[in-house]
Amino acid sequence: MKRIFYLLPFLLLFAACNQQPQISSPNGQVTLTFRVNKSGVPQYSVSKNNTTLILWSSLGLACAEQDLTSGFEITDTESQFFSDKWETVWGEERVIVDRHYEMRVALQHQSGVRMDVLFRVFDDGIAFRYIFPEQEMRSLTITDEISEYRFAADHAAWSIPWRTEYYEGLWTKAPLSEQTDTLCSPVTLELADGGYAFVHEAALYDYPAQNLYMKDGALRIYLTPWLDSTKQALDAKAYETLPFATPWRMVILADDLRQMVASRIMLNLNEPCAIEDPSWIKPMKFIGIWWGMHMKSMTWEQGPIHGATTANMERYLRFAKEHGIQAVLAEGWNLGWETWEHFSFTEPYDDWNMDYLSQLADSLGVQIIGHNETGGNAADYEDQLEAAYAYHQAHGIHAIKTGYVSPIIRTVDGLQWNKGQSGVRHYRKIIETAAKYHIAIDNHEPVMPTGLQRTWPNLMTQEGVRGQEWNAWSNDGGSPCSHVTILPFTRVMAGPVDYTPGVFAFENPVMPQTRVHATLMNQLGLFVCIYSPLQMACDLPENYMKHPDAFHFIEDVPCNWERSMLVDGVIGEYCIFARQERGSENWYIGGVNADEAREVTIPLSMLTEGKTYVATIYRDGEEADWQTNPYDYEIEEQTVTAADVLQLRMASGGGLAIAVKPAAL
Ligand code: NOJ
């Protein structure tokens, strides 16, 4: 990542005696105030445009060695202004602006322990983290984090419960006051006054993932615990050696959904790129030997309908070449699928000729995406890691999809929550080791993303979502139409999602009651609405060839962007995104709709004024409906300019996709 402007620090020193130090955002609208109350509890509050949004909220850590939740005093405060612009290796935006004020409050506990709280205030939100400088105390066992968000009103929260396996749940909305369960982070809030807030964390490296729960009117943090050998939660949540800093706790504060999805606070809170030359990391669209297994027409393990055979892969590679798709994933190429007890990441089944396929892929200019399913045995994976990545690298493989089918995984520390500290350490080791071998990661069953891709852009995409596969086999019939209209404002806000869009055949002979709740145009719209720099077109080549004209959009749509914006949307009802292809004048617009058919208005004001473009519009036909007629669509071309406003209809479960390119002169 190229830093365009270096930091512009303005150091302002507050007198140590200032008992309520304060900083405001660069535009002056968001203000954060700090105090230590009469009991020595550190607290902060936040206002926006002079209205208090977060009332005095407590900070602190309960530790086995020392209770650090009260008994503090301020010893020093300093604040500075940062203005920076940096370039992403890939992303929704090429250039990201980071402007904020930072305030460091140095605290001394009555026991003598020193703890700083570092705050940042941006135009679109706030963040803070705890920092323990080097001192006499050498280590801390954190048993609870008392950080809270005491919102001034009873906002509506979109959430999934914290025990949702791999975050693969349906998001629901309920007032904060009615949240009786502990929730996964993030949580998206529809504020009582019409604004939005997004509560999450950034830069999670050596700490348990945060969960959130309501207690005494405040949203509080529940850290994922360590487990004992019988899988019972221990008091310990994090073991830390000083000096250390916790992840950032962050809240995006937005006037509307457009501002919320445009916020880049989470990325800005992560460190700059740690990979010296990241030019080998390439966004790619891919197809794969995958959907067949979920639809049960192929198997992962060897047998009469084995998916990952040399012949099948050759067919997929040639199809990819013919249609300009950059890569092909193959699952079930390696030993271990019969029992899931021990997978080998260097030994293929004997009907998979890795040497032949890697040479073929190379000659076709198509990448192979490797697959390392661990079955949740992270320790076994770590034992094989260097050999596995050397093997893939030797076969020209630069991206691997990993998998951990089990929310409690076997780490080097025994059975642990994948989002506990031990799991977080494992995922970090994977990313850092993969980088050494020039391998990008698509992590399935991950810990919720927190923006690490700024530092490690080889962490390209992750699951952590109820993805398309549920529409193949879920006993509840498949995800409701509203699901994909909620994700862009919840899960996708935390980082790229390997949702696997692009189903073109809706019949499911194995599970006739289960299906994709979508029209074909909805499946196209997802390529723009759900961002991923590794974007899978999940269906079988033969199904794509049934609708080659619609498949043309998948061939055409990029997955790396210059700029991105929400055109319009209501969480749970519909959304329309527009994105400009990186390094080009082409724009792509995608929309997805929930159950109720609707007319939408799309102003093309994002286009360059005075220029003429050709828009290829892929839209639901008059009779389209996800239940009765998902294949009814129309494709038309129209000459457009920035002054035009498109009026289009999205069917029930429908969608739209538009490619807008400068007209040939
Ligand atoms: C679950 C993953 O989400 C899916 O994509 C994969 O095919 C299976 N595990 C097998 O690894």
Side-chain angles (χ1 to χ4, degrees):
M1 275 167 239
K2 200 172 76 197
R3 186 158 281 211
I4 299 171
F5 292 138
Y6 211 67
L7 303 179
L8 257 181
F10 293 81
L11 211 63
L12 306 172
L13 287 175
F14 286 81
C17 62
N18 182 349
Q19 290 311 300
Q20 294 210 352
Q22 203 173 60
I23 41 169
S24 294
S25 56
N27 68 5
Q29 289 177 8
V30 182
T31 297
L32 183 144
T33 310
F34 180 84
R35 74 174 184 193
V36 170
N37 76 5
K38 285 195 190 96
S39 319
V41 178
Q43 294 184 321
Y44 73 101
S45 68
V46 179
S47 64
K48 188 171 172 185
N49 296 326
N50 299 320
T51 304
T52 305
L53 287 183
I54 301 179
L55 306 169
W56 287 116
S57 299
S58 297
L59 300 168
L61 296 165
C63 302
E65 297 78 3
Q66 186 64 59
D67 180 50
L68 299 175
T69 59
S70 61
F72 281 102
E73 63 177 28
I74 301 176
T75 56
D76 195 13
T77 312
E78 63 178 42
S79 124
Q80 50 189 325
F81 172 66
F82 286 87
S83 182
D84 187 19
K85 266 188 200 173
W86 55 279
E87 204 165 307
T88 57
V89 175
W90 48 260
E92 293 182 90
E93 230 77 56
R94 188 171 61 79
V95 177
I96 291 186
V97 174
D98 179 2
R99 279 164 58 80
H100 63 261
Y101 274 92
E102 179 178 283
M103 175 168 74
R104 188 178 187 114
V105 182
L107 299 169
Q108 171 115 24
H109 189 250
Q110 60 203 18
S111 62
V113 173
R114 285 181 288 123
M115 176 181 90
D116 296 352
V117 189
L118 193 63
F119 293 97
R120 286 189 184 165
V121 181
F122 303 80
D123 289 346
D124 51 359
I126 61 111
F128 60 86
R129 77 188 325 177
Y130 303 92
I131 297 179
F132 285 84
E134 202 164 343
Q135 52 193 295
E136 211 172 293
M137 158 113 30
R138 289 272 171 264
S139 60
L140 279 174
T141 305
I142 297 167
T143 54
D144 200 4
E145 182 177 323
I146 315 299
S147 313
E148 60 180 28
Y149 307 97
R150 190 170 291 281
F151 286 99
D154 188 17
H155 307 304
W158 286 95
S159 67
I160 49 174
W162 87 283
R163 279 180 178 275
T164 309
E165 292 190 350
Y166 335 111
Y167 311 101
E168 297 187 15
L170 294 173
W171 294 71
T172 56
K173 178 167 100 164
L176 280 171
S177 59
E178 288 172 24
Q179 302 289 349
T180 48
D181 208 346
T182 301
L183 311 171
C184 286
S185 180
V187 165
T188 299
L189 299 177
E190 292 183 0
L191 304 183
D193 71 354
Y196 291 85
F198 177 77
V199 183
H200 193 36
E201 60 181 325
L204 174 64
Y205 275 109
D206 189 5
Y207 203 75
Q210 74 170 22
N211 307 280
L212 297 156
Y213 69 106
M214 286 299 288
K215 188 177 176 202
D216 303 333
L219 197 58
R220 287 260 304 255
I221 287 179
Y222 172 64
L223 297 175
T224 308
W226 279 82
L227 300 177
D228 69 12
S229 56
T230 63
K231 295 202 261 181
Q232 295 307 304
L234 293 168
D235 284 344
K237 307 295 189 317
Y239 298 106
E240 302 291 348
T241 308
L242 276 62
F244 81 95
T246 65
W248 289 95
R249 277 62 187 91
M250 54 166 268
V251 186
I252 294 172
L253 295 168
D255 295 337
D256 53 33
L257 282 179
R258 259 182 220 126
Q259 195 190 9
M260 186 180 83
V261 302
S263 175
R264 304 291 171 233
I265 289 182
M266 188 183 68
L267 288 175
N268 282 332
L269 291 168
N270 276 272
E271 296 300 317
C273 185
I275 298 175
E276 206 172 308
D277 176 11
S279 57
W280 55 272
I281 303 169
K282 302 265 188 257
M284 299 187 287
K285 273 177 299 184
F286 64 102
I287 54 170
I289 298 177
W290 180 77
W291 187 237
M293 278 86 96
H294 288 274
M295 296 292 278
K296 298 196 168 51
S297 62
M298 298 175 187
T299 58
W300 280 278
E301 68 278 6
Q302 217 173 13
I305 51 167
H306 187 206
T309 63
T310 306
N312 218 5
M313 187 61 170
E314 177 157 356
R315 187 165 68 87
Y316 273 70
L317 286 168
R318 292 193 187 282
F319 181 87
K321 165 77 180 170
E322 201 179 320
H323 295 278
I325 307 281
Q326 293 93 346
V328 181
L329 162 78
E331 296 194 2
W333 64 276
N334 57 326
L335 302 184
W337 289 89
E338 289 73 16
T339 62
W340 281 66
E341 272 163 19
H342 164 74
F343 288 96
S344 167
F345 305 110
T346 51
E347 295 166 288
Y349 282 121
D350 59 17
D351 55 357
W352 175 272
N353 186 334
M354 185 62 114
D355 290 335
Y356 172 74
L357 288 168
S358 64
Q359 280 159 21
L360 177 68
D362 188 45
S363 69
L364 294 172
V366 175
Q367 298 272 321
I368 293 177
I369 298 187
H371 185 236
N372 291 180
E373 172 59 64
T374 68
N377 196 340
D380 187 21
Y381 192 32
E382 286 193 24
D383 286 345
Q384 299 184 59
L385 209 52
E386 302 276 344
Y389 290 171
Y391 174 82
H392 284 81
Q393 190 186 39
H395 288 96
I397 295 175
H398 290 299
I400 295 179
K401 172 175 168 181
T402 55
Y404 295 85
V405 178
S406 178
I408 292 185
I409 59 175
R410 182 170 295 284
T411 73
V412 290
D413 303 299
L415 290 173
Q416 298 293 338
W417 282 107
N418 74 339
K419 55 178 174 170
Q421 185 176 23
S422 183
V424 168
R425 285 176 177 161
H426 167 75
Y427 292 120
R428 172 185 179 170
K429 182 168 184 173
I430 297 304
I431 305 163
E432 296 185 7
T433 310
K436 275 198 316 194
Y437 290 90
H438 284 196
I439 286 172
I441 296 293
D442 167 2
N443 183 12
H444 276 230
E445 297 85 25
V447 63
M448 185 59 73
T450 60
L452 305 192
Q453 71 268 26
R454 177 178 181 188
T455 314
W456 297 99
N458 65 316
L459 174 60
M460 292 191 82
T461 191
Q462 311 206 57
E463 193 183 33
V465 74
R466 179 172 155 131
Q468 185 87 275
E469 64 195 37
W470 284 72
N471 299 327
W473 40 251
S474 175
N475 285 328
D476 61 11
S479 304
C481 301
S482 57
H483 184 51
V484 292
T485 71
I486 298 168
L487 293 179
F489 308 108
T490 53
R491 165 62 185 85
V492 187
M493 292 285 300
V497 181
D498 190 18
Y499 182 80
T500 73
V503 171
F504 267 35
F506 299 103
E507 296 72 32
N508 185 345
V510 188
M511 294 276 278
Q513 76 284 13
T514 301
R515 60 172 299 173
V516 187
H517 292 208
T519 67
L520 208 127
M521 294 299 103
N522 174 292
Q523 291 295 301
L524 295 188
L526 288 175
F527 281 83
V528 183
C529 291
I530 297 195
Y531 170 64
S532 181
L534 288 179
Q535 187 70 284
M536 184 181 206
C538 74
D539 211 335
L540 312 174
E542 50 272 35
N543 289 336
Y544 285 136
M545 286 306 90
K546 289 178 192 154
H547 304 282
D549 54 352
F551 184 60
H552 184 65
F553 182 79
I554 298 181
E555 295 172 323
D556 186 30
V557 66
C559 52
N560 195 24
W561 306 104
E562 186 75 22
R563 281 195 291 156
S564 295
M565 63 185 70
L566 176 72
V567 176
D568 198 2
V570 175
I571 308 180
E573 293 185 20
Y574 71 104
C575 61
I576 299 165
F577 282 82
R579 303 187 195 267
Q580 183 186 2
E581 181 175 9
R582 190 166 290 205
S584 137
E585 296 248 35
N586 297 342
W587 281 84
Y588 292 80
I589 300 170
V592 289
N593 189 28
D595 291 280
E596 208 178 301
R598 73 182 68 240
E599 298 285 330
V600 290
T601 303
I602 306 175
L604 296 180
S605 49
M606 71 288 276
L607 303 179
T608 306
E609 256 180 67
K611 233 182 149 82
T612 306
Y613 297 77
V614 175
T616 309
I617 304 173
Y618 302 73
R619 60 180 171 86
D620 287 324
E622 287 304 308
E623 304 299 322
D625 180 292
W626 75 269
Q627 297 190 74
T628 55
N629 203 350
Y631 301 107
D632 183 27
Y633 63 86
E634 282 170 31
I635 302 173
E636 65 186 7
E637 276 194 1
Q638 222 172 288
T639 301
V640 296
T641 69
D644 283 313
V645 177
L646 301 177
Q647 302 282 352
L648 294 167
R649 179 179 166 276
M650 292 198 285
S652 171
L656 58 87
I658 311 172
V660 191
K661 301 181 182 182
L665 295 176

